[in-house]
């Protein structure tokens, strides 16, 4: 149990795990560790609770400490998008969204055999090099991206992490419309048709945990609207 100053309800929060939720701060859908309010039952992921705890925060991409300002409006140095509530440096104009501040320093993706490193600038001035090796679209050289120095692979943050980066594959999701527990899966080699919409399950899906039952559905076909992407 803990109390956090940034939660409006001001009731204590309890640590939970393995419950699918949408974080009230960063809006990521996750089933990792979180804190749930004992009053309103809203949930905040562990990353955001840590980032918003009073005091200075350190960032590997910046030499000065960062402090949280809830009402500050500016521009995030990582993604370039407008901000309203950021971790901000008192000594310069450097500021980050909470979810950009919490980005993993290294990440793995099938586009490269090596770990990709979070990079905050592109030294290559050749404009044609500013593309994403996953989606093959253009990439802003001033925005953070993931890079492999060995293979010279570069990719958008969202392309590397994906929409479901905080859902644990293989974990159980209790869906009341089906008699058996469902497992969170992501098919790689074949894509069975969804039992709800009949379209191939090419992304994260929910599959019956009973081997004799072939039930499988898209995540967005059965989950509450509050948990959809």
């Amino acid at each position: 149990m803990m109390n956090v100053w940034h939660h409006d309800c001001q009731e204590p929060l309890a640590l939970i795990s393995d419950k699918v939720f949408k974080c009230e701060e960063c809006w990521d859908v996750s089933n990792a560790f979180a804190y749930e309010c004992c009053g309103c039952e809203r949930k905040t992921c562990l990353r955001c609770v840590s980032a918003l705890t009073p005091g200075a925060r350190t960032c590997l991409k910046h030499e000065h400490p960062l402090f949280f300002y809830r009402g500050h409006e500016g521009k995030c140095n990582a993604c370039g998008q407008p901000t309203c509530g950021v971790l901000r440096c008192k000594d310069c104009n450097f500021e980050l969204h909470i979810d950009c501040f919490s980005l993993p320093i290294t990440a793995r993706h099938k586009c490269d055999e090596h770990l990709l490193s979070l990079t905050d600038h592109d030294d290559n001035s050749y404009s044609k090099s500013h593309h994403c090796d996953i989606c093959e679209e253009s990439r802003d050289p001033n925005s953070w991206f993931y890079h492999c120095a060995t293979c010279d692979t570069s990719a958008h943050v969202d392309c590397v992490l994906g929409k479901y980066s905080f859902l644990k594959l293989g974990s159980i999701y209790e869906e009341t419309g089906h008699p058996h527990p469902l497992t969170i899966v992501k098919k790689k080699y074949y894509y069975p048709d969804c039992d709800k919409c009949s379209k191939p399950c090419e992304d994260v899906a929910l599959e019956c945990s009973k081997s004799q039952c072939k039930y499988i559905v898209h995540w967005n076909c059965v989950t509450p609207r509050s948990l959809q992407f």
Side-chain angles (χ1 to χ4, degrees), residues 3-13 24-25 27 37-44 52 68 70:
N3 291 289
V4 294
W5 67 272
H6 54 80
H7 183 64
D8 296 335
C9 193
Q10 293 302 303
E11 292 287 332
L13 275 65
E24 68 166 3
E25 293 291 343
W27 298 100
C37 177
C38 297
C40 66
E41 298 185 351
R42 286 188 296 174
K43 301 165 185 65
T44 307
L52 296 175
F68 181 67
R70 180 169 288 279

Side-chain angles (χ1 to χ4, degrees), residues 20-22 26-32 47 103-104 107-109 157-171 173 183-187 191 200-206 217-229:
V20 180
F21 66 95
K22 179 173 283 188
C26 67
W27 298 100
D28 282 325
V29 175
S30 171
N31 60 344
R47 298 181 309 131
L103 288 172
R108 190 175 294 281
H109 191 274
V157 167
D158 289 343
C159 289
V160 172
L161 299 181
K163 296 184 294 184
Y164 313 93
S165 54
F166 300 106
L167 280 178
K168 294 181 287 185
L169 298 179
S171 56
Y173 177 81
T183 304
I184 302 173
V185 298
K186 187 173 183 179
K187 297 300 182 182
Y191 306 105
C201 292
E202 296 179 336
D203 215 322
V204 168
L206 293 166
V217 287
H218 292 112
W219 177 268
N220 283 357
C221 284
V222 294
T223 55
R225 185 174 295 274
S226 61
L227 296 178
Q228 294 180 8
F229 297 91

Side-chain angles (χ1 to χ4, degrees), residues 137-152:
E137 298 292 334
S138 62
R139 179 176 54 78
D140 184 349
N142 297 314
S143 295
W144 290 9
F145 62 102
Y146 281 100
H147 181 68
C148 173
T150 304
C151 304
D152 196 26

Side-chain angles (χ1 to χ4, degrees), residues 21-136:
F21 66 95
K22 179 173 283 188
C23 175
E24 68 166 3
E25 293 291 343
C26 67
W27 298 100
D28 282 325
V29 175
S30 171
N31 60 344
F33 283 101
Y35 278 96
E36 181 179 51
C37 177
C38 297
C40 66
E41 298 185 351
R42 286 188 296 174
K43 301 165 185 65
T44 307
C45 71
L46 191 60
R47 298 181 309 131
C48 286
V49 170
S50 299
L52 296 175
T53 300
R57 292 287 168 267
T58 57
C59 174
L60 292 180
K61 300 298 178 183
H62 193 67
E63 59 181 339
H64 306 139
L66 305 178
F67 297 85
F68 181 67
Y69 295 83
R70 180 169 288 279
H72 176 79
E73 295 183 4
K75 183 179 180 181
C76 177
N77 282 69
C79 66
Q81 297 300 310
T83 64
C84 184
V86 292
L87 286 151
R88 187 170 186 268
C89 177
K90 290 183 176 180
D91 299 316
C92 58
N93 293 323
F94 185 85
E95 52 194 59
L96 296 173
H97 289 119
I98 295 173
D99 48 347
C100 289
F101 169 81
S102 302
L103 288 172
I105 300 302
T106 59
R108 190 175 294 281
H109 191 274
K110 63 182 180 181
C111 71
D112 198 291
E113 61 180 324
H114 309 107
L115 277 174
L116 302 171
S117 298
L118 185 64
T119 306
D120 60 350
H121 66 280
D122 195 337
D123 292 327
N124 195 330
S125 59
Y126 184 50
S127 61
K128 289 189 177 181
S129 71
H130 301 152
H131 71 279
C132 173
D133 287 301
I134 297 177
C135 70
E136 300 183 350

